[in-house]
């Protein structure tokens, strides 16, 4: 493993091998690698150019890989450098996606201006979040213009990706109108752009209807300060035929430009940085507690009491914090 400083120089020079090795380093859980990863991230220029970070989510089979291949190639052909990071917290699934993605993103993966990194087989969301966030920073330092962060549209990983993206794009299949109620609502509220994919062939008419349904539902949402007129929006695309991709990119740029000029962009990046800082502290404290046998024992005992309702959560927390502060000072 090269020393963090020269690795950081390689990343900053946009060397793909250095970037790949740097990501391998940040993915490692070995204590010495963690330390080197920390040094590496500190060596990255603080004034590195900002990429447009696009979170992209969608249920299995909706066409994420096909979309990224077509969309990524379009951006590369326009002269942009595109990095794709996949987030898949369930290690059981990731084997399948990597295999699928090798075939579905074949051209993009060979493009000199593209960099694709599949999800590592980590199952714990906290670890995945850190790895992805740090990988995004590395890609940004390496001078990529666009970083696509892909996640499967199931559960918590979506929220996490939204917390590290400048824009959040949701890919949906035609039909699925019943999903509009309930489970999709929360996700819809984080989405900036909803793309109804597979708007081609037999599905074209259904896609247009679905799109109108979502557009209607989006108009009912409370207006968010970070949205210009007309956003969030829903539009049809066909990843297979490439239809609508140019327009989707125009919309993404328009939204990003508006947020930049209105100050939402910087504010959001600052909020996100603070969010991850506090999250790291929280995770670190919990890990520290779990590693100390006496504290772990107290946690287990209090878990039981709180669950049974014999101890209020705040009082149990006070006991743990007392122990934590006491063990630091005494
Ligand atoms: N008709 C049509 N089919 C599409 C389109 N995009 C993707 N598909 C098909 O949908 C299937 C799934 O596409 P993928 O790109 O693998 O979907 P995915 O969301 O990456 O799936 P997972 O990685 O399993 O979550 C494939 O058979 C694609 O050919 C499209 O725009 N139109
Ligand atoms: Mg896929």
């Amino acid at each position: 493993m090269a020393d963090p400083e020269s690795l950081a120089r390689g990343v900053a020079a946009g060397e793909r091998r250095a970037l790949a090795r740097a990501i391998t380093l940040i993915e490692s859980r070995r204590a010495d690698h963690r330390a080197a990863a920390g040094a590496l991230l500190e060596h990255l220029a603080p004034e590195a150019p900002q990429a447009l970070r696009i979170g992209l989510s969608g249920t299995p089979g909706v066409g994420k890989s096909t979309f990224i291949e077509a969309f990524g190639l379009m951006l590369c052909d326009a002269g942009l450098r595109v990095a794709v990071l996949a987030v898949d917290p369930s290690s059981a699934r990731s084997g399948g996606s990597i295999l699928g993605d090798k075939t579905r993103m074949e051209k993009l993966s060979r493009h000199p201006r593209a960099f694709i990194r599949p999800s590592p087989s980590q199952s714990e969301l906290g670890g995945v979040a850190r790895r992805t966030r740090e990988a995004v920073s590395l890609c940004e330092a390496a001078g990529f213009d666009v970083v696509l962060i892909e996640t499967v549209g199931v559960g918590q990983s979506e929220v996490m990706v939204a917390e590290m993206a400048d824009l959040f794009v949701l890919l949906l299949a035609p039909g699925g109108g019943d999903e509009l109620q309930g489970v999709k609502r929360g996700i819809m509220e984080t989405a900036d752009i909803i793309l109804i994919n597979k708007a081609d062939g037999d599905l074209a008419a259904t896609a247009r209807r679905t799109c109108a349904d979502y557009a209607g539902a989006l108009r009912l949402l409370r207006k968010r300060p970070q949205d210009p007129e007309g956003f969030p929006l829903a539009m049809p695309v066909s990843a297979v035929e490439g239809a609508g991709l140019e327009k989707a990119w125009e919309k993404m740029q328009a939204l990003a430009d508006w947020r930049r000029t209105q100050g939402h962009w910087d504010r959001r990046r600052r909020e996100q940085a603070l969010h991850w800082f506090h999250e790291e502290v929280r995770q670190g404290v919990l890990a520290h507690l779990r590693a100390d046998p006496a504290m772990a024992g107290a946690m287990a005992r209090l878990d039981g009491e709180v669950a049974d309702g014999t101890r209020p959560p705040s009082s149990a927390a006070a006991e743990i914090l007392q122990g934590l502060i006491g063990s630091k000072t005494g």
Side-chain angles (χ1 to χ4, degrees):
M1 201 46 87
D3 72 288
E5 210 174 333
S6 65
L7 203 50
R9 265 198 306 277
V11 169
E15 290 164 19
R16 306 162 59 90
R17 257 177 59 86
L19 177 61
R21 286 171 66 200
I23 295 179
T24 302
L25 184 65
I26 57 148
E27 282 172 355
S28 173
R29 289 193 242 194
R30 262 175 55 179
D32 57 332
H33 286 174
R34 279 308 309 158
L40 165 68
L41 292 165
E42 280 173 17
H43 275 113
L44 298 179
E47 288 307 314
Q50 292 185 335
L52 174 57
R53 306 172 180 175
I54 303 173
L56 183 88
S57 173
T59 45
V62 71
K64 295 181 296 299
S65 303
T66 312
F67 176 84
I68 291 172
E69 164 94 348
F71 187 73
L73 282 171
M74 180 186 83
L75 299 184
C76 286
D77 288 343
L80 297 170
R81 296 182 68 212
V82 179
V84 180
L85 301 171
V87 175
D88 191 351
S90 60
S91 48
R93 253 193 50 89
S94 61
S97 339
I98 293 168
L99 264 185
D101 287 345
K102 276 217 172 109
T103 54
R104 298 230 162 79
M105 300 197 210
E106 202 193 341
K107 281 198 199 123
L108 186 62
S109 62
R110 281 189 277 118
H111 199 288
R113 277 193 290 278
F115 177 84
I116 299 182
R117 185 79 176 198
S119 194
S121 53
Q122 269 179 339
S123 51
E124 182 217 346
L125 194 64
V128 175
R130 175 191 286 153
R131 165 265 176 194
T132 309
R133 186 163 36 82
E134 292 178 347
V136 168
S137 302
L138 289 169
C139 291
E140 225 161 37
F144 283 89
D145 303 294
V146 175
V147 180
L148 281 165
I149 315 160
E150 182 213 326
T151 190
V152 180
V154 281
Q156 278 297 100
S157 63
E158 235 155 15
V159 178
M160 180 199 94
V161 167
E163 276 294 346
M164 55 182 79
D166 302 310
L167 305 182
F168 193 74
V169 176
L170 180 62
L171 225 56
L172 291 176
D178 25 319
E179 287 175 9
L180 239 163
Q181 319 293 332
V183 66
K184 280 275 176 261
R185 193 177 162 87
I187 300 161
M188 255 181 61
E189 283 174 357
T190 47
D192 295 306
I193 296 178
I194 293 180
L195 300 177
I196 314 296
N197 190 34
K198 310 195 183 184
D200 49 51
D202 293 346
L203 288 168
T206 317
R208 272 196 302 276
R209 255 197 322 277
T210 308
C211 190
D213 287 349
Y214 277 101
L218 287 173
R219 276 193 291 275
L220 298 178
L221 291 181
R222 195 165 49 87
K223 187 147 171 33
R224 304 176 301 183
Q226 70 271 28
D227 292 332
E229 205 46 50
F231 284 91
L233 61 81
M235 57 175 284
V237 294
S238 167
V240 158
E241 293 184 348
L245 301 189
E246 296 260 5
K247 190 174 167 203
W249 174 233
E250 279 166 24
K251 295 291 182 189
M252 290 178 209
Q253 285 175 289
L255 181 58
D257 287 347
W258 189 85
R259 285 185 178 166
R260 273 196 198 96
T261 54
Q262 301 294 314
H264 295 295
W265 177 288
D266 284 339
R267 187 174 317 130
R268 176 118 183 94
R269 287 235 173 170
R270 276 200 299 274
E271 282 169 8
Q272 288 176 337
L274 288 177
H275 168 85
W276 292 114
F277 166 43
H278 297 162
E279 191 55 32
E280 287 278 333
V281 171
R282 213 179 344 263
Q283 296 298 332
V285 169
L286 287 173
H288 176 80
L289 288 176
R290 279 191 292 264
D292 178 331
M295 294 300 281
M299 278 292 276
R301 171 174 54 80
L302 289 165
D303 274 354
E305 293 178 19
V306 170
D308 291 347
T310 55
R311 189 78 182 263
S314 53
S315 136
E319 183 180 328
I320 290 295
L321 292 174
Q322 189 59 52
L324 191 67
I325 295 158
S327 74
K328 277 273 171 225
T329 54

